[in-house]
Amino acid sequence: MKNDHIELSKWLGKTEVICDVISQAPYAALSATLDRQGKLAEPGLSLPPLWHWLYFLPKHLQSEIGLDGHAKLGSFLPPVTLPRRMWAGGRFKFNAPVCIGDAVSRTSEIESITEKIGRTGSLIFVTVRHDIRISGSTEIALSEWHDIVYRDALKVNDTPTIPLAAPLSSAWERKWIPSEVLLFRYSALTFNGHRIHYDRSYVTQIEGYPGLIVHGPLIATLLVDLLRWNYPDAELISFEFKAIRPTFDLHHFFVCGEPLKDGKTIHLWAKDHEGYLTMDAIAEIK
């Protein structure tokens, strides 16, 4: 692993720039997927927080796709040899609205690569920073830090992580049924080929999970959507989330929220059907 780590350090500071247009169709499609009538996707309408994930989509050739459905590593992301990849969390700063019709650019940089030894073996954490600008502006409209974790293959003697209990009460709560269709639609909207979200034989037989895995970004989006339902006029300043344990399509799950006493900080979390914490998040509004 030491030699791998030295090699991976060459990816630190690597950058790429992608340009896109915030078009109407993805906005309308995710609105339908989340059962939101929503406003008409007219030019000038502000994109809801985290919906930028519908844009800047990867467009790798089919011949460049690896076994897990992701693009083979070593182009922008470092060529980590650990086989299991998950979205561990993210942090966001919202500085200016991104609107339907905007031409935008995203500058991405490999900000850190960290190797750790966990309970089940080697772990490598990669943090990518994304800065989104409206074309013609030097100001950053949105900054995102995307944390990716790579893990060893599942071993037969691995012991499951002791789950954490979610808070017993909340001001807001919504139940979601993670159907195969919901997962497929979100994978399609984000052009995400990762097989853990739609290929049941792959995720159970190769990666060793009991069912299809609900996308971490989808759960994060549902947390922010819960905030939007309850505070429709609030402006989100910052948001951060951490994935605690996978959510599977085998059972329903809940997204929950609780405003803190300052009135500007919202604790958001997701829990599974047994009441165990699966994602924890903090939002700051004004």
Side-chain angles (χ1 to χ4, degrees):
M1 289 299 296
K2 184 67 69 175
N3 290 334
D4 284 349
H5 184 64
I6 294 172
E7 183 69 23
L8 294 178
S9 68
K10 296 179 180 179
W11 264 256
L12 281 172
K14 188 176 180 65
T15 62
E16 71 173 9
V17 178
I18 299 176
C19 296
D20 207 343
V21 175
I22 306 300
S23 55
Q24 297 170 313
Y27 174 94
L30 185 56
S31 295
T33 300
L34 300 187
D35 271 337
R36 270 186 168 273
Q37 295 291 341
K39 300 177 181 178
L40 292 177
E42 297 177 342
L45 177 66
S46 294
L47 200 64
L50 306 190
W51 289 33
H52 67 284
W53 285 330
L54 302 177
Y55 305 91
F56 309 106
L57 302 183
K59 298 177 179 64
H60 301 284
L61 299 177
Q62 187 65 24
S63 57
E64 297 172 339
I65 301 300
L67 174 65
D68 64 356
H70 274 308
K72 297 172 185 176
L73 299 173
S75 53
F76 175 66
L77 287 174
V80 178
T81 55
L82 299 177
R84 295 194 292 167
R85 179 178 6 174
M86 299 289 286
W87 194 313
R91 297 167 301 287
F92 306 82
K93 289 185 178 179
F94 303 93
N95 303 316
V98 177
C99 299
I100 300 292
D102 282 345
V104 288
S105 65
R106 186 187 72 183
T107 301
S108 302
E109 179 181 356
I110 306 295
E111 196 167 83
S112 68
I113 303 173
T114 306
E115 179 184 350
K116 296 182 180 181
I117 300 297
R119 181 181 52 81
T120 59
S122 296
L123 301 168
I124 291 180
F125 293 87
V126 176
T127 297
V128 183
R129 175 172 177 163
H130 302 292
D131 289 327
I132 296 175
R133 294 173 173 86
I134 311 300
S135 293
S137 174
T138 59
E139 300 297 321
I140 298 172
L142 166 61
S143 290
E144 172 186 358
W145 289 263
H146 172 190
D147 298 323
I148 309 167
V149 60
Y150 299 84
R151 300 176 181 273
D152 272 326
L154 190 69
K155 306 178 186 67
V156 293
N157 60 345
D158 284 348
T159 55
T161 303
I162 298 174
L164 299 174
L168 293 176
S169 63
S170 62
W172 316 323
E173 181 175 288
R174 184 173 182 184
K175 178 180 177 180
W176 282 90
I177 307 296
S179 68
E180 292 175 327
V181 174
L182 174 64
L183 302 190
F184 167 79
R185 293 179 85 178
Y186 191 77
S187 286
L189 282 169
T190 54
F191 205 40
N192 182 353
H194 200 181
R195 294 170 65 183
I196 63 173
H197 303 304
Y198 61 86
D199 187 335
R200 195 172 302 277
S201 61
Y202 172 83
V203 75
T204 56
Q205 298 174 22
I206 302 300
E207 298 219 9
Y209 294 107
L212 299 177
I213 296 177
V214 182
H215 314 66
L218 173 58
I219 298 175
T221 299
L222 297 178
L223 291 176
V224 174
D225 194 63
L226 182 70
L227 170 58
R228 292 174 58 222
W229 275 114
N230 289 278
Y231 285 168
D233 298 322
E235 181 181 342
L236 191 61
I237 300 173
S238 67
F239 177 71
E240 60 180 278
F241 74 94
K242 182 178 180 181
I244 306 299
R245 68 198 307 253
T247 297
F248 302 104
D249 74 325
L250 305 175
H251 304 281
H252 61 267
F253 68 94
F254 300 91
V255 290
C256 309
E258 183 82 39
L260 301 188
K261 291 182 179 180
D262 63 8
K264 301 297 183 182
T265 307
I266 313 296
H267 181 205
L268 298 160
W269 66 93
K271 64 180 181 180
D272 64 18
H273 67 293
E274 296 180 296
Y276 292 124
L277 187 67
T278 59
M279 183 172 287
D280 203 24
I282 289 289
E284 182 184 0
I285 63 173
K286 69 175 183 180

